[in-house]
Amino acid sequence: MAKSSGVAVAGLGVVVLVGWVLTVPWLTRIQPDFASMKPNTAVCFLFAGIALATSSTSATTRAVRVFRASMLGCVVLICLLTLAEYLLPADLGIDQLLIRVEVDPHAHAPAGRMAEATAAGLLCAALALLLLDASPWRPVAQGAATVGALIGLLACVGYAYGVEALYGVGAYSTLALHTAIGLVVLCLGALLARPSEGLMRLLVDKGAGGMAARRLLPYVLCGPFILGWLLLFAERRGQVQGTFGIALITVAYTLLFALLIWRTANALHLSEVGRTAMQRHLRHHELRFDQIIGSVMDAVVVLDGEQRIVLFNPAAEEMFTRSSSDMLGRTLETLLPQSAWAEHSSFVREFGARGSAKRRMGAERAVFAVRADGQHLPVEVSISKLDVDGQRYYTAVLRDVTELRERTEQARLAAEAANRMKSAFLANMSHEIRTPLNAIIGLTKLLQRTGSTPEQTDRLGKIDVAARHLLSVVNDIMDLSKIEAGGFQLDLTDLHLTALFDNVQSIICEQARGKGIDVRVDLDAVPLWLHGDLTRLGQALLNYASNAVKFTDKGCITLRAVLVEETVAGLLVRFEVQDTGAGVAAQALPRLFNAFEQADTTVTRLHGGSGLGLAITKHLAQLMGGEVGVTSMPGRGSTFWFTARLSRGLGPVPAVPSTVQLRPEEQLRRRHTGARILLVEDNEVNREVATELLKAVGLEVDSAVNGQVAVEKAQLLAYDLVLMDMQMPVLDGLSATRSIRALPGWSGRPIIGLSANAFSEDREMCLQAGMDDFVAKPVEPDVLFNALLRWLPSKPVEAGPRGPPQRRPAEAAAIMRELPMWRLTGLDAAYGLQMVNGSETVFAGVLRSFVESSVPDIELIQSALAAHQASEALPRIQSLKRAAGSIGAASLHAMLVELELAIRRSRSFALVQSLGNEVAARHAALVTEIRALDHR
């Protein structure tokens, strides 16, 4: 409305100025005998109209406000100068400044000068617009606009009634009709520019008062004016005279006001009817809302911006055992434990400032609430916020999850029970499959050792290959089951990258050589010493390499390691196996790493396999913080890769094995011939196989068919070592081991467990029962022989006659066993001598260096453990572990490994302290024996 008024007034000024410029009289005056609007007046209307049009909102830029003020300032200046010319009297030269104007005979004023009333009205309008947004001066602005509007209105009435005194001041100036109309429009626009403030506030009010004002004011303002003009018109025409006219106008006024009162009353009645209907409608909606809220099974609590409860539904009453009337107006902290008050206040502040207006139920952890009786209950909460008429409200929907948690716990227990049943089933199946496999592989080895025809040798080889293939499938299934059950743990240790790749290369090289395939190794710039799980890295790499050999008929296979990135957290290493085989079709790539999936699933496929190797590799890579992938082109080969997050390791460059290194079985014959072994095995075939293997290396074997017989034999004879099966009738291997350990003289004798169960839990149970080591079935002869070499105690051998300086190799070996270092019980002298190419002098120096460097390490380890700072002892433990391993101190090395694992797994202080004491005791015994060498 204000903007339209401004545009109209500015347009009026432009039209009049055009009339003066073009000398068009009917544009400057309405009728020939009426006064004209002067150029200065038209300019003032133009400027004031522009200012009014840009004043429609207070949210304007500073430039607009400055422009508006300058327009109004010009209007004020012109009006003040004009009034000054009338008051002085004087001619200041502003009247003819724009356009030369002749004297207007109807204006009674100097040529070109606006009337006094015009100057006063425009001054009031300009002041009203200048003070429009000045809050302290708003009443002054409203009053000025009202005065200006009254000046224009009186002039309009004077023109309508023909009363010159209303539009002229004395005999000097006359207010033009269109000037009066423009002044009324301009001042009303100023009043309407801020309709919610001042005089116009009532008119725009949406209530009954505003409605009555809008209905009555037009009639009250216009009605008397029109009736009076009609009466005057009738009197001038002689149609009414004197008192008759007064009576007639009185009746007209009465009827008019009666009509206005009736119309207003009717409007108020209709408004009241509408309001009543609206109230009824609102009550209906409130009732329906209450019914809906009351039917909600979850508790609904609504809070205002001050965190006070304004709605508390029946479900909330039932959940918290509190009535709605008691809770309304109270804070939500009443429903929370005191320990959660600070967290609740912090959350409300954070949620109020957050951009998201909702938080889904279950999106964050459940909280605890408090019933009236003080009982705590877990609840899930969803919260939303809403602003209504500037007031912030929070709606919280709470759900009691006590039963849900109980069902979840029951489901968890059921899942754990099912997982235990699955593990037990897999363990039993593993035992049932591995036990006959042990017999098959063992008997095959025995037959291969005896003389056989070429045809028999070929068939025995095929039996061995088939059995080992079945064993690999069983191992893969066990590994996958352990991974999926979450029971797969990484064993982190320092490892040498070259040794890792050499081991994989040595496993596949014979098969690759048979197919004419070249195997290459590319280690790029990866650090040689790494810290990770050597076994799992080798397993994943071997899975890829075995597949590469299987699917490649010519060309080469490249085993590669690439350093992807190195950060403060560690290394990301990419392991690749690239082949020149048949490749994989693009449609088969997405499913390659799924369990039991193969690229070729047709009945005519050329290559076997269970389809588990790649799936296991994927799981292993994920356990090591990496991922897997493949790139392949049919006919050109494939590159399978996986990444692993490792760290830099510490350790010396591994010694190159001597070319004259003896096989484990030969070492057993030379070092432990005649040692007495107790073999505890209930399966007759497995017992026969193990007995033959042990006797073949010069060991004396006594057997027991169950744990009870083993305990009885251990009471009668002190065996050098016991091989103990785990699953046996009458008395199982674990119970038998505990009973044997309780016998006098058996606390330190080695017991090695044998089991067809390949789970890591079985190894843990063996060690906890008192066994020293664990060998999985089917038993590989070299694995068993190496275990025997680690644990069989070295026996003193009587010195033979002195011979000439040059002896045959067999005689030299016999005399070497007579050296004092061979009699060290805590040391595998054969292993240590191999590391220094058999030089006794060099090995003796190595042992002295070990004593000098290890004694301070032990002292520092003991101090750290005593101060409850076990983690600070880890570097010393690792250093001492590597040193013990390099000299062949297997027993001390094993204890250091146990101590390191206990610290890393945050075992109890008592256990760590006990292991530390055992390490110190074994170290002290070894140091004493080494120092005694210098006195022999």
Side-chain angles (χ1 to χ4, degrees):
M1 184 69 178
K3 185 175 183 180
S4 300
S5 299
V7 171
V9 171
L12 175 62
V14 170
V15 169
V16 172
L17 285 174
V18 170
W20 282 111
V21 172
L22 300 180
T23 318
V24 181
W26 59 270
L27 291 179
T28 61
R29 66 182 74 228
I30 295 179
Q31 288 187 10
D33 56 344
F34 280 9
S36 62
M37 181 188 296
K38 304 304 183 289
N40 286 356
T41 305
V43 169
C44 289
F45 274 131
L46 175 61
F47 288 173
I50 293 174
L52 178 59
T54 57
S55 302
S56 58
T57 174
S58 59
T60 54
T61 63
R62 183 175 182 276
V64 173
R65 290 195 298 270
V66 171
F67 172 75
R68 189 172 62 201
S70 63
M71 294 286 102
L72 295 172
C74 291
V75 175
V76 171
L77 180 61
I78 293 173
C79 293
L80 289 176
L81 290 175
T82 300
L83 291 175
E85 287 179 325
Y86 279 110
L87 293 175
L88 287 179
D91 185 1
L92 301 179
I94 64 170
D95 303 328
Q96 305 287 335
L97 186 62
L98 293 177
I99 300 172
R100 300 295 299 178
V101 180
E102 299 295 333
V103 176
D104 186 356
H106 303 286
H108 307 295
R113 184 178 298 177
M114 69 173 73
E116 298 98 322
T118 303
L122 284 174
L123 179 62
C124 291
L127 290 175
L129 290 173
L130 277 173
L131 302 175
L132 192 63
D133 294 318
S135 298
W137 295 91
R138 186 164 292 123
V140 176
Q142 296 271 319
T146 304
V147 170
L150 287 175
I151 292 173
L153 183 61
L154 286 173
C156 291
V157 172
Y159 274 106
Y161 283 84
V163 182
E164 184 178 358
L166 294 178
Y167 56 85
V169 177
Y172 298 100
S173 61
T174 302
L175 190 66
L177 178 59
H178 45 338
T179 299
I181 296 173
L183 196 58
V184 172
V185 173
L186 179 62
C187 292
L188 287 178
L191 291 172
L192 292 172
R194 300 292 182 266
S196 60
E197 303 167 357
L199 298 176
M200 296 294 107
R201 181 172 53 191
L202 181 61
L203 286 177
V204 299
D205 183 54
K206 295 181 180 180
M211 183 190 67
R214 288 190 296 273
R215 287 179 174 274
L216 290 175
L217 277 179
Y219 295 98
V220 170
L221 293 175
C222 299
F225 172 77
I226 295 173
L227 291 176
W229 182 82
L230 289 174
L231 178 61
L232 183 61
F233 178 79
E235 286 180 348
R236 287 177 178 176
R237 292 177 60 91
Q239 295 176 348
V240 293
Q241 295 293 332
T243 57
F244 176 74
I246 295 174
L248 186 62
I249 199 68
T250 302
V251 172
Y253 279 150
T254 303
L255 293 175
L256 175 63
F257 281 104
L259 177 63
L260 290 178
I261 292 172
W262 177 86
R263 192 169 183 274
T264 303
N266 184 63
L268 291 175
H269 170 72
L270 294 176
S271 175
E272 181 66 21
V273 171
R275 187 179 65 83
T276 304
M278 181 61 70
Q279 289 178 343
R280 189 184 306 111
H281 184 68
L282 288 175
R283 282 197 299 270
H284 173 72
H285 276 279
E286 288 178 358
L287 180 61
R288 185 166 61 179
F289 175 77
D290 292 340
Q291 291 174 343
I292 293 174
I293 293 297
S295 66
V296 175
M297 299 183 66
D298 292 327
V300 179
V301 181
V302 179
L303 300 93
D304 60 17
E306 297 180 356
Q307 306 301 309
R308 298 193 178 278
I309 298 174
V310 296
L311 188 147
F312 201 74
N313 76 331
E317 293 179 334
E318 181 180 356
M319 177 184 293
F320 295 103
T321 62
R322 300 174 183 269
S323 66
S324 174
S325 58
D326 291 339
M327 292 305 301
L328 293 181
R330 304 178 69 175
T331 64
L332 193 63
E333 292 177 348
T334 310
L335 308 177
L336 298 174
Q338 187 172 359
S339 59
W341 288 359
E343 181 181 1
H344 166 69
S345 299
S346 174
F347 170 78
V348 171
R349 287 194 302 270
E350 177 186 348
F351 182 71
R354 195 184 305 169
S356 174
K358 298 179 181 179
R359 193 201 73 175
R360 296 192 308 273
M361 186 169 290
E364 298 180 13
R365 63 180 181 86
V367 298
F368 281 90
V370 181
R371 288 194 174 100
D373 58 2
Q375 180 184 357
H376 289 205
L377 69 154
V379 295
E380 283 186 349
V381 185
S382 67
I383 299 178
S384 62
K385 59 185 177 183
L386 180 66
D387 292 331
V388 179
D389 295 333
Q391 176 68 40
R392 172 66 58 85
Y393 290 95
Y394 297 92
T395 302
V397 180
L398 303 96
R399 179 177 300 167
D400 186 352
V401 293
T402 304
E403 294 183 2
L404 177 61
R405 285 196 170 188
E406 291 175 353
R407 291 196 299 269
T408 303
E409 179 66 15
Q410 292 173 358
R412 185 186 65 81
L413 295 175
E416 290 180 353
N419 191 51
R420 286 193 297 270
M421 291 176 62
K422 174 186 174 183
S423 299
F425 171 76
L426 289 174
N428 185 57
M429 291 304 298
S430 172
H431 175 79
E432 295 299 326
I433 295 174
R434 289 173 182 269
T435 297
L437 276 178
N438 184 59
I440 294 170
I441 295 175
L443 289 174
T444 301
K445 287 292 184 183
L446 292 177
L447 290 173
Q448 287 175 333
R449 290 171 182 269
T450 62
S452 56
T453 66
E455 183 180 4
Q456 291 173 335
T457 301
D458 179 63
R459 290 178 177 176
L460 288 173
K462 291 178 179 179
I463 292 174
D464 187 63
V465 170
R468 292 183 184 281
H469 174 70
L470 179 58
L471 179 60
S472 70
V473 173
V474 173
N475 289 337
D476 286 345
I477 294 176
M478 295 299 106
D479 283 346
L480 187 62
S481 299
K482 286 187 286 184
I483 291 172
E484 291 179 344
F488 217 86
Q489 300 294 328
L490 296 178
D491 184 13
L492 302 180
T493 185
D494 291 333
L495 60 99
H496 196 273
L497 190 63
T498 303
L500 169 65
F501 275 76
D502 286 347
N503 181 52
V504 174
Q505 185 181 26
S506 65
I507 294 174
I508 66 171
C509 66
E510 184 174 351
Q511 186 181 359
R513 193 180 302 114
K515 301 176 71 173
I517 302 171
D518 184 24
V519 180
R520 304 170 184 173
V521 175
D522 178 13
L523 299 184
D524 192 49
V526 182
L528 291 181
W529 277 101
L530 300 171
H531 190 76
D533 191 324
L534 174 63
T535 302
R536 301 311 167 193
L537 286 171
Q539 181 181 357
L541 192 60
L542 184 59
N543 283 342
Y544 282 165
S546 300
N547 282 345
V549 175
K550 183 192 300 184
F551 292 99
T552 303
D553 295 326
K554 60 181 180 179
C556 68
I557 295 173
T558 303
L559 310 179
R560 184 180 295 113
V562 180
L563 180 61
V564 179
E565 66 177 16
E566 181 173 6
T567 62
V568 178
L571 311 174
L572 180 63
V573 182
R574 177 183 171 116
F575 297 86
E576 298 179 356
V577 176
Q578 182 179 0
D579 63 58
T580 57
V584 183
Q587 61 269 23
L589 291 177
R591 53 187 176 87
L592 274 183
F593 290 93
N594 296 334
F596 305 103
E597 286 281 358
Q598 293 178 324
D600 184 6
T601 58
T602 63
V603 295
T604 60
R605 62 193 178 101
L606 300 175
H607 307 284
S610 61
L612 292 175
L614 295 182
I616 292 173
T617 300
K618 177 181 178 181
H619 285 295
L620 292 176
Q622 291 173 344
L623 282 173
M624 293 184 286
E627 54 187 1
V628 296
V630 57
T631 57
S632 182
M633 293 185 64
R636 300 186 61 179
S638 307
T639 300
F640 284 82
W641 58 267
F642 71 90
T643 56
R645 293 205 171 270
L646 309 170
S647 56
R648 287 183 176 268
L650 299 174
V653 177
V656 179
S658 173
T659 56
V660 296
Q661 182 177 0
L662 299 177
R663 290 175 56 102
E665 55 186 294
E666 185 63 29
Q667 294 184 48
L668 277 173
R669 289 192 189 97
R670 295 193 176 198
R671 294 165 51 186
H672 299 291
T673 296
R676 292 170 295 184
I677 306 297
L678 176 59
L679 174 63
V680 188
E681 171 64 68
D682 65 312
N683 185 279
E684 182 178 356
V685 177
N686 287 342
R687 194 165 59 247
E688 178 184 351
V689 171
T691 300
E692 291 299 326
L693 286 175
L694 296 172
K695 286 183 177 180
V697 294
L699 302 177
E700 296 181 5
V701 182
D702 194 2
S703 61
V705 296
N706 58 55
Q708 184 61 46
V709 176
V711 174
E712 294 172 357
K713 290 194 173 186
Q715 290 175 334
L716 301 176
L717 187 62
Y719 295 95
D720 294 307
L721 185 142
V722 177
L723 291 173
M724 181 74 71
D725 188 21
M726 286 184 64
Q727 293 186 351
M728 294 181 294
V730 184
L731 188 67
D732 63 84
L734 299 177
S735 301
T737 299
R738 297 187 185 97
S739 300
I740 291 174
R741 287 297 186 204
L743 297 176
W746 274 96
S747 60
R749 295 184 179 275
I751 301 176
I752 299 176
L754 301 174
S755 176
N757 296 340
F759 292 103
S760 58
E761 293 85 351
D762 300 303
R763 177 182 178 84
E764 288 291 332
M765 288 191 295
C766 289
L767 297 178
Q768 291 175 3
M771 296 183 185
D772 298 286
D773 208 342
F774 177 89
V775 176
K777 295 180 181 179
V779 175
E780 289 287 345
D782 285 348
V783 175
L784 176 61
F785 295 156
N786 281 321
L788 293 174
L789 285 171
R790 284 195 302 271
W791 294 104
L792 274 173
S794 300
K795 292 189 175 182
V797 180
E798 295 181 1
R802 294 183 181 273
Q806 300 294 330
R807 298 179 174 85
R808 294 191 303 272
E811 294 175 342
I815 291 177
M816 185 175 288
R817 289 197 299 272
E818 298 174 6
L819 298 174
M821 62 185 62
W822 280 78
R823 301 180 182 181
L824 299 180
T825 57
L827 192 70
D828 186 350
Y831 178 85
L833 286 168
Q834 289 172 13
M835 300 296 289
V836 295
N837 292 326
S839 173
E840 179 203 4
T841 304
V842 174
F843 188 49
V846 171
L847 293 179
R848 294 188 189 97
S849 298
F850 171 79
V851 171
E852 293 175 0
S853 62
S854 63
V855 170
D857 285 343
I858 282 292
E859 293 175 353
L860 290 173
I861 291 171
Q862 290 293 94
S863 299
L865 295 183
H868 293 264
Q869 298 176 343
S871 59
E872 297 191 6
L874 282 175
R876 297 289 182 176
I877 294 173
Q878 293 169 348
S879 175
L880 186 58
K881 178 182 67 175
R882 291 192 293 270
S886 65
I887 66 172
S891 177
L892 177 59
H893 180 273
M895 285 305 305
L896 286 165
V897 170
E898 292 294 326
L899 177 59
E900 180 183 4
L901 290 175
I903 294 175
R904 291 187 182 279
R905 295 173 180 174
S906 302
R907 298 292 174 83
S908 66
F909 173 77
L911 175 61
V912 172
Q913 190 68 41
S914 174
L915 291 172
N917 294 336
E918 183 65 23
V919 166
R922 294 196 184 189
H923 175 267
L926 179 60
V927 168
T928 300
E929 289 185 326
I930 293 174
R931 286 174 174 169
L933 292 176
D934 295 332
H935 302 290
R936 296 183 184 178

